[in-house]
Amino acid sequence: MTKQWAAGEILGLANSYWQGFTLQAGVVLDLFTILETLEKDGEPMTVPELARAAKCDERALGMLVSGLASLDFLGLADGTISLPVHSRKYLSQSSPEYVGFIIRHHAHISVAWAKLAESVRTGAPSRDVSSSHTDSAEEREAF
């Protein structure tokens, strides 16, 4: 039987991109690994401290941290950032169960998916070069 979609479900699906992009940005910026490393020193982490460690703009990182906290990938209370167990387990590169490589891959190909309508309209590919044919080790790893 074919699913019968409600308007709210359709709109929710159309708006769900922000959740994936938010997670992808956190992984690409390696925030979870940085937080885990700095938490080992026993000091609570704040947005300004994380911004310095991650070499990010403090205001923009604060918005990203809020988004990650709204998705429960980070804890945020009284200006202090914490790393939930599931984020430590799956999103920190120091974990043997790290899944960030595939998330980085998703971030890399999302640019092409954003151009899907144009590719269908023109019949042309949406990407110039395959990541597997680059000199960048980081791009090949995300491929």
Side-chain angles (χ1 to χ4, degrees), residues 8-137:
E9 291 174 309
I10 293 169
L11 294 173
L13 178 63
N15 188 42
S16 64
Y17 67 90
W18 77 268
Q19 297 164 326
F21 285 157
T22 300
L23 176 58
Q24 291 167 18
V27 170
V28 168
L29 294 170
D30 210 20
L31 299 182
F32 306 101
T33 305
I34 293 168
L35 280 165
E36 182 182 31
T37 301
L38 295 175
E39 275 187 354
K40 288 179 182 175
D41 295 336
E43 294 295 318
M45 180 64 55
T46 63
V47 168
E49 292 165 335
L50 181 58
R52 281 191 296 279
K55 297 180 177 69
C56 292
D57 177 81
E58 183 179 325
R59 183 189 64 79
L61 183 65
M63 290 188 284
L64 179 58
V65 165
S66 292
L68 289 166
S70 76
L71 295 168
D72 294 323
F73 289 113
L74 294 178
L76 184 59
D78 299 323
T80 301
I81 306 166
S82 59
L83 196 58
V85 173
H86 57 273
S87 293
R88 184 181 315 278
K89 183 175 182 178
Y90 298 117
L91 302 175
S92 172
Q93 288 194 47
S94 63
S95 171
E97 297 181 73
Y98 178 67
V99 297
F101 296 117
I102 192 66
I103 296 170
R104 287 174 184 264
H105 173 68
H106 293 159
H108 189 75
I109 65 172
S110 66
V111 174
W113 279 106
K115 298 176 183 178
L116 179 60
E118 186 63 22
S119 290
V120 170
R121 181 177 292 118
T122 65
S126 60
R127 292 175 56 194
D128 297 329
V129 181
S130 170
S131 305
S132 63
H133 296 92
T134 179
D135 290 333
S136 168

